[in-house]
Amino acid sequence: MNNTATEYIQFDPKVTPLAKFHGTMLGAVAPRPIALASTIDEEGRPNLSPFSFFNAFGANPPILIFSPARRGHNNTTKHSYENVKQVPEVVINVVNYAMVQQTSDSSADFDRGVNEFEMVGFTMEPSELVKPCRVKESPVQFECKVLNVIETGVEGGAGNLVVCEILRMHVNKDILDENGRIDPHKIDLVGRMGGNYYVRANGASLFELAKPE
C-alpha cells in the first residue's frame, strides 16, 4: 500500500491571475472538440473562427453549444459573437487532422470584414438552410439556427454560450464504415489540449470499451 501523501495546489479563481487560472483549467479540461464556426454579419460579410469551448447537449432537439468568450487581455468580444447577435445562424464545422493548421490560422485576430476562408485557404460551400457558408474541407458540417446567447459575465474571460439547434447535418461519405456509421479512424478528428497542444484521435489513441450490462 502506498502511504505517500498526495499534495495538491489550490487555485482560487477570485485571487489567481486570470491567465494562470485559464491556462491551468484548460490543461485539465481536455481534450476538447473544436467548433469551426462560420457566421455572417448584418452586411453579409463572412467570418470563420475556431472555438474549443464546444460540445453537443441533446439530440431531440439536436443542440450544440459553443462559447466565443470575451478576450482575457482586453475584455473585447469576438466577431463570431457579434455576428450571431445580428444574424442568428451559424454553421459548425468539425475539424480533422488534415485541416488543423488552417483552422489554427483562422484564429488570428483579423480585422472585421476580413474573409478568413480566403486568408487560410478554405473553400466556401453554400449552405442549404442558413446564410453562412459551410467549410467544404470539413468532414461533417452542421447548419444551425441560434436559439439563444447566454452571457455569463462582463469581465475578460467570461463566456458567451451560443445555443444552436441543428437544422441539417452534412456528412462526407468517405468517413463512413460499411454500416453507414462514422468511422473514428476515417474521420481523424483532433481535439484541443492546454497551451499549444492538440491531440489526434487516431491510431493507437483509439480504444474500445464494452458498455456494462
Side-chain angles (χ1 to χ4, degrees), residues 99-190:
M99 55 188 291
V100 67
Q101 182 63 62
Q102 290 164 287
T103 298
S104 176
D105 292 344
S106 73
S107 69
D109 195 11
F110 295 108
D111 291 336
R112 171 166 284 284
V114 170
N115 187 334
E116 287 85 359
F117 283 89
E118 295 176 352
M119 294 298 292
V120 305
F122 279 137
T123 306
M124 298 177 70
E125 186 77 3
S127 296
E128 297 178 1
L129 301 176
V130 299
K131 297 180 182 69
C133 284
R134 296 177 280 142
V135 176
K136 186 175 183 179
E137 290 78 7
S138 173
V140 180
Q141 309 132 13
F142 301 96
E143 295 186 36
C144 304
K145 65 177 180 180
V146 175
L147 301 180
N148 196 10
V149 180
I150 303 171
E151 290 91 357
T152 66
V154 296
E155 300 296 330
N160 298 297
L161 310 185
V162 181
V163 183
C164 310
E165 180 177 349
I166 300 168
L167 302 179
R168 184 154 298 173
M169 176 169 55
H170 303 264
V171 180
N172 188 323
K173 291 182 179 179
D174 291 341
I175 66 170
L176 301 179
D177 64 17
E178 62 275 9
N179 298 312
R181 300 188 183 95
I182 292 178
D183 185 326
H185 298 276
K186 293 179 178 179
I187 193 171
D188 199 13
L189 293 172
V190 295

Side-chain angles (χ1 to χ4, degrees), residues 40-116:
I40 63 170
D41 64 15
E42 57 190 355
E43 297 180 30
R45 297 178 296 183
N47 181 266
L48 189 66
S49 187
F51 301 97
S52 67
F53 288 171
F54 162 64
N55 220 308
F57 291 87
N60 187 24
I63 299 296
L64 302 175
I65 299 177
F66 72 99
S67 176
R70 302 179 76 93
R71 294 183 179 89
H73 64 281
N74 61 7
N75 196 23
T76 57
T77 55
K78 298 181 179 179
H79 298 148
S80 299
Y81 161 77
E82 296 161 6
N83 286 356
V84 297
K85 300 279 280 186
Q86 296 173 9
V87 181
E89 298 177 342
V90 61
V91 178
I92 294 177
N93 307 274
V94 305
V95 178
N96 65 7
Y97 185 73
M99 55 188 291
V100 67
Q101 182 63 62
Q102 290 164 287
T103 298
S104 176
D105 292 344
S106 73
S107 69
D109 195 11
F110 295 108
D111 291 336
R112 171 166 284 284
V114 170
N115 187 334
E116 287 85 359

